[in-house]
Amino acid sequence: QRSPQIPAPAVVLLDERDKFRAAAEDALLVRANITPLEKAAPGARDLAGWTMVELARHSLKVAGLPITGSRMEMVGRAMVSGDFPLLLANVAHKALFSGWEEADETWNTWCGTDSVSDFKTHYMPRASETDDLLEVPEHGQYKHGERSEAQESYAIATFGRLFAITRQTIINDDLRALSDIPARHGEAARRKIGDIAYAVLIANAAMGDGVALFHAGHGNLLTGADVGVAGIGAAILAMGTQKDILGKRRLNIRPVFLIAPKALEGAAEVFFRSEKFADQAVAATPDMATATTRVNPYAGSYFTRVYEPRLDDADANAWYLAARKGRTVVLFFLDGVQTPYLETQRGWSVDGVEYKVRIDCGAKAVDWRGLAKNPGPS
């Protein structure tokens, strides 16, 4: 017996309002050079020549709302009803992320990231290494090893700004305001993350043991030297010979990143790109000196180099070595969301629509042993 035919699932097609909104949104994004025309929604090419006033009027029309009154009245009505507010919000949102993605930042090269679920103070334990395994003779007993732990505390905060798209912006067909203002806020959000990350190095705040991040007591504050064989070698030695919490075991931590201000980039890159260098060796007689050519052990890609202008503002001579991601400075984001959030509402203090950009983030050095600082030559 033949089974009954199962009807095909219903397909909900876009109605005219949806099609118009998608085309109008992409038309504005094409005009703002955010979306290429070949990737725009169908109909965007036809609307590319429309002003924002014309788009506002048509948004009211397709929604079945009145389009009467003066331009200011009509635009004001469109900004609080129909599809026009959603159209503006979508354009602002894409412009925001365009600015976010285009902002040049260096923190994500070397910083780790993690997630928190609230704004409370959180605690990260740092467990010590376990004792070495002992030989167990025949019929012998296993013994417990000694362990200890310390902890670091951290919390996140909210950072944000307001901006508005006014009726005057629409009347003046000021597309730059509609696209550039959100884009600049996207850049500002990304900059804020960088500010938070590098503030950890610059502030040199106390760790969980009450001692500053970079301190002689932590074995990670070196004597002043240029970025060169001697200075780098001393920092590598200091990091590699760090001990665990109980002081029983050398951890052999290897630095992966060199982090320095832009002022040191030129000289540092000459050093890193030189396979050999001249080492001045003083002979037995004080007035005699010979130049000995030595191989540069740190040439090429030994380190991932990061040059950051925020460090110039704090100290243009100091430079740092850092271990692998996640072992040094960690950025914490609410629910793991590492991008800005955009909210919108009808403007009360302005004639238009207000937008709120926010991001929730914090940063903490989770272990001083994976970091070393050289203050540079005095």
Side-chain angles (χ1 to χ4, degrees), residues 1-260:
Q1 184 178 1
R2 191 190 314 182
S3 60
Q5 187 175 5
I6 300 175
V11 178
V12 179
L13 300 176
L14 293 174
D15 62 19
E16 289 304 314
R17 286 180 64 175
D18 294 325
K19 292 178 180 178
F20 169 74
R21 187 173 64 241
E25 177 184 322
D26 279 4
L28 291 175
L29 292 170
V30 167
R31 287 180 58 195
N33 295 317
I34 295 174
T35 296
L37 183 59
E38 58 271 18
K39 293 185 178 181
R45 183 187 298 271
D46 297 332
L47 299 181
W50 287 31
T51 67
M52 285 192 280
V53 171
E54 291 171 323
L55 293 175
R57 179 179 289 109
H58 199 72
S59 294
L60 290 173
K61 183 178 180 181
V62 296
L65 298 172
I67 59 174
T68 56
S70 67
R71 280 195 307 165
M72 290 293 282
E73 292 173 338
M74 183 274 296
V75 168
R77 189 182 310 121
M79 295 186 78
V80 297
S81 57
D83 296 328
F84 198 60
L86 180 59
L87 189 160
L88 294 180
N90 288 345
V91 171
H93 188 268
K94 291 184 179 180
L96 176 83
F97 277 90
S98 173
W100 166 269
E101 292 169 358
E102 290 176 2
D104 292 324
E105 288 294 337
T106 62
W107 63 267
N108 53 332
T109 300
W110 64 278
C111 291
T113 58
D114 205 342
S115 175
V116 294
S117 58
D118 53 47
F119 294 90
K120 299 176 183 177
T121 299
H122 294 261
Y123 298 91
M124 174 179 288
R126 288 188 290 107
S128 69
E129 303 295 313
T130 59
D131 283 340
D132 289 342
L133 299 183
L134 299 177
E135 180 181 352
V136 181
E138 186 178 4
H139 306 301
Q141 292 184 336
Y142 288 86
K143 296 181 180 180
H144 289 281
E146 183 183 7
R147 295 195 68 189
S148 180
E149 70 175 30
Q151 65 181 11
E152 300 297 333
S153 61
Y154 58 92
I156 65 169
T158 299
F159 304 89
R161 281 284 189 181
L162 294 173
F163 67 92
I165 302 298
T166 65
R167 287 190 299 168
Q168 286 82 357
T169 298
I170 307 303
I171 293 293
N172 295 337
D173 198 36
D174 189 356
L175 189 63
R176 180 178 293 262
L178 181 60
S179 60
D180 284 8
I181 293 176
R184 298 296 82 78
H185 281 76
E187 291 176 0
R190 198 171 184 90
R191 283 200 311 270
K192 176 52 66 175
I193 305 302
D195 293 343
I196 295 168
Y198 283 100
V200 176
L201 300 183
I202 295 168
N204 197 28
M207 298 290 288
D209 62 352
V211 180
L213 169 59
F214 299 106
H215 191 276
H218 283 162
N220 64 355
L221 183 59
L222 288 303
T223 55
D226 289 319
V227 177
V229 170
I232 290 176
I236 290 175
L237 176 63
M239 191 178 294
T241 55
Q242 288 279 10
K243 292 184 177 181
D244 78 326
I245 296 172
L246 294 176
K248 294 184 176 182
R249 173 63 59 190
R250 301 286 185 184
L251 298 179
N252 195 28
I253 302 170
R254 181 190 179 280
V256 177
F257 304 99
L258 179 132
I259 307 166

Side-chain angles (χ1 to χ4, degrees), residues 239 254-258 302-305 321-325:
M239 191 178 294
R254 181 190 179 280
V256 177
F257 304 99
L258 179 132
Y302 190 96
F303 293 109
T304 298
R305 279 101 68 182
L321 295 187
R324 60 175 173 80
K325 275 188 174 185

